[in-house]
Amino acid sequence: MSRTPQFSSVQEVRDRLSSTGYLPDDATATSVFLAGQLGKPLLVEGPAGVGKTELAKAVAAATGSQLVRLQCYEGIDEARALYEWNYRKQLLRIQAAGDERSWDSTHDEIFSAEFLLERPLLAAIRRTEPTVLLVDETDKADVEVEALLLEVLSEFQVTVPELGTIAASTRPFVVLTSNATRELSEALRRRCLYVHIGYPSAERELEIVLARVPQAPADLAEQIVRTVHALREMELKKSPSIAETLDWVHTLLALGLDTLDSATVRATLGTVTKHASDAEKAARMLKLG
């Protein structure tokens, strides 16, 4: 089984991800390198909005791979994650067959690959081109789907009873993300390399802002990053993420502003605070008047 193109060194990971606009820290760059070398899935955990999903996108861009994304949510099942049969098309074929064909012949036809609807996991396994499989927000899926992931990620093959076993010819680079809203099983963790991405230092977040929004004045970016870090120390119901820091920069640029004074913070606070109680607390502690 071949693999999706890998990186030759940790430094190459840094350089190629940086060229896509993603600035990995040392732990993240090392984990991406090892995941490629060892052929193991990479479990990325951390608060929402710190760049976990963006990491998978950056790896895909840096390796020239296609990103296949399985977005997990409560209630997702095997039919949405792996495959299901196209029942409408099967019914039409049965009706078209009429009484002239035997049921065995019709049955074999409607349970062929032509009637299979592949979902992200199966799509990633069947692809022969370089692929990055993103299993996003794994912690939102039920334990049954987690068990399905164990099977798929162990052997990179799927058994469809009517068709047999479908094995990957090119092993995808797999990234699983989790916001840690529930504990993932030890069995799943054991099969993955693990890296935690937290909020970056002010210096690093400023680098990220200037890399992602190069048109932003450095002074404005520094003021925004400093204010966001002050907000994160307030123990709000939802701390602002890196994504919201970038949103705030874009907001001020859209308003044609190049400085962040108290009036501007109050007028645009909704960009980085998502609860009324957080906005009130932030306004009080920042002494916005």
Side-chain angles (χ1 to χ4, degrees), residues 33-254:
F33 171 70
L34 291 176
Q37 290 294 312
L38 302 178
K40 295 176 74 72
L42 178 61
L43 172 60
V44 188
E45 211 165 49
V50 294
K52 303 186 297 297
T53 300
E54 291 302 313
L55 174 61
K57 294 179 180 178
V59 171
T63 58
S65 304
Q66 179 171 323
L67 182 73
V68 176
R69 180 174 183 168
L70 172 62
Q71 179 63 53
C72 296
Y73 53 87
E74 186 176 355
I76 189 174
D77 57 13
E78 183 174 322
R80 294 297 177 188
L82 191 56
Y83 74 90
E84 65 179 326
W85 292 103
N86 188 336
Y87 298 117
R88 183 186 298 274
K89 187 175 179 180
Q90 287 177 320
L91 181 59
L92 290 173
R93 185 60 58 90
I94 292 171
Q95 292 173 336
D99 299 328
E100 298 178 358
R101 298 182 62 183
S102 69
W103 167 245
D104 287 344
S105 175
T106 303
H107 178 277
D108 290 345
E109 182 180 5
I110 63 175
F111 285 103
S112 63
E114 178 186 350
F115 294 83
L116 192 67
L117 295 176
E118 63 180 22
R119 301 308 184 196
L121 293 180
L122 181 58
I125 286 177
R126 296 176 81 180
R127 282 181 52 80
T128 56
E129 299 82 9
T131 302
V132 172
L133 171 61
L134 168 63
V135 184
D136 211 7
E137 299 186 318
T138 311
D139 51 322
K140 289 186 177 178
D142 298 326
V143 292
E144 290 80 6
V145 172
E146 197 173 315
L148 175 65
L149 289 173
L150 285 177
E151 179 183 357
V152 173
L153 299 182
S154 294
E155 303 295 335
F156 288 95
Q157 65 180 30
V158 172
T159 299
V160 180
E162 297 83 355
L163 300 178
T165 299
I166 301 171
S169 58
T170 301
R171 182 188 289 256
F173 188 104
V174 182
V175 177
L176 300 93
T177 74
S178 169
N179 295 333
T181 57
R182 75 166 175 85
E183 279 294 322
L184 300 177
S185 71
E186 292 301 324
L188 183 62
R189 290 178 179 274
R190 193 167 56 246
R191 285 166 172 77
C192 301
L193 296 181
Y194 175 84
V195 64
H196 180 273
I197 298 180
Y199 297 120
S201 66
E203 293 75 15
R204 184 154 200 84
E205 189 158 4
L206 181 58
E207 291 178 4
I208 294 171
V209 169
L210 294 177
R212 299 296 295 270
V213 194
Q215 69 274 29
D219 288 346
L220 176 63
E222 193 275 335
Q223 291 171 13
I224 290 174
V225 168
R226 188 172 62 243
T227 306
V228 166
H229 277 252
L231 291 170
R232 288 179 187 151
E233 294 175 356
M234 295 179 187
E235 298 183 358
L236 303 176
K237 291 176 67 175
K238 184 193 177 306
S239 293
S241 65
I242 299 174
E244 286 154 344
T245 303
L246 296 172
D247 285 345
W248 209 5
V249 175
H250 284 296
T251 296
L252 296 195
L253 292 180

